[in-house]
Amino acid sequence: YDFINFNILITTAIVGMEFIIGILGNGLIALVNIIDWVKRSKISAVDQILTALAISRIIHLSSRHLSKLFSMVCPGLLWAEQILKMIHIIWMVTSHFSIWLATSLSIFYFLKIANFSNSIFHYLKWRVEKVISVTLLVSLVILFLNIAFLNTDTDVWVAGYKRNVTNSSSSKDSLNFSRHFLLHYMIFTIIPFTLSLTAFILLIFSLWRHLRKKQLNATAPRDARTKAHLQGLQAVVAFLLLYTFFFLSLLIQVLISDLQEKNVIISLCHVLAMAFPSGHSYILILRNKKLRQASLSMLWWLRCRFKDAES
């Protein structure tokens, strides 16, 4: 028990650090883009996506920790019908936009960087902003379907919960509901994951064709387009890697939902899940010149303030 408690303590501390890191990173992205928007009175399409993504992740991380705190303070009220629906809907909506806006960003990079002779691709490339708008509109339809299914599942579970008065039955039903919710959510996350994976594969294929063309023309393969391909691949690979960790954390929780007494594994799943909205923000900062310069300026300002405080 001491070993289990120690591991839970460590993973809880890691999740807390991920929460702080995520709030700071996403907060920086949102703040820099909003200030730039106010100064210039305009904002680019990619900055719009980044700002919306950062705000959705701040809300997602905050609601996730508030629900965790609420479950510790008032565990009994957590399973009340209206509260249960509210918590799951907030979690689902913020998580949905976090995933779909990141997916839209991958599609944006792909259409801007890749190069194919296909007429359909050129049509989409020159209308990239409309493609992103349509993608997000379609995602809203998926979100509404997801919420509808969630509300139906919650109503069925609450009805069954009220019929079962024994603690053992209630505990078993709550585990089954959690597993069903996670499995249901996993199915809906496969769609944006598949879109991001497709964009990644097509970007690799575009890079391969470009390098092959350069070699046939006996020119240096390391040109601006090659660099753009590689930078785009780095961003999409990092996103897919963190997305995979997030997806695996859901899968593990579904598979071991009947063994939730093993809190160490559940805690590790929370660490993996939190790495996605927290870690991805710093990858976006490193890739974006404006955000990178703003973060360096902020670090330099903090360093100067710290030195002044010491002296």
Side-chain angles (χ1 to χ4, degrees), residues 167-180:
N167 290 331
S168 59
S169 298
S170 299
S171 178
K172 185 178 179 180
D173 287 343
S174 63
L175 289 177
N176 288 334
F177 176 77
S178 298
R179 178 170 60 181
H180 189 72

Side-chain angles (χ1 to χ4, degrees), residues 104-170:
S104 299
L105 202 59
S106 297
I107 296 171
F108 182 89
Y109 289 147
F110 162 68
L111 290 176
K112 282 291 186 180
I113 296 170
N115 189 26
F116 294 100
S117 57
N118 188 282
S119 58
I120 297 175
F121 175 80
H122 282 288
Y123 176 84
L124 297 175
K125 188 179 182 71
W126 289 108
R127 293 162 179 80
V128 59
E129 293 184 14
K130 288 185 177 179
V131 172
I132 299 302
S133 299
V134 171
T135 301
L136 293 175
L137 284 173
V138 171
S139 79
L140 287 178
V141 176
I142 295 173
L143 175 62
F144 291 140
L145 288 173
N146 206 352
I147 292 174
F149 283 125
L150 172 65
N151 286 333
T152 303
D153 291 340
T154 304
D155 291 337
V156 171
W157 180 85
V158 169
Y161 181 83
K162 289 177 179 178
R163 286 195 300 267
N164 296 323
V165 293
T166 61
N167 290 331
S168 59
S169 298
S170 299

Side-chain angles (χ1 to χ4, degrees), residues 294-304:
S295 62
L296 290 174
S297 299
M298 185 171 291
L299 289 172
W300 180 259
W301 179 81
L302 289 172
R303 182 185 175 188
C304 292

Side-chain angles (χ1 to χ4, degrees), residues 274-289:
M274 288 287 288
F276 176 47
S278 299
H280 189 225
S281 60
Y282 288 88
I283 295 167
L284 295 174
I285 290 171
L286 290 173
R287 191 188 181 281
N288 189 291
K289 184 179 179 181

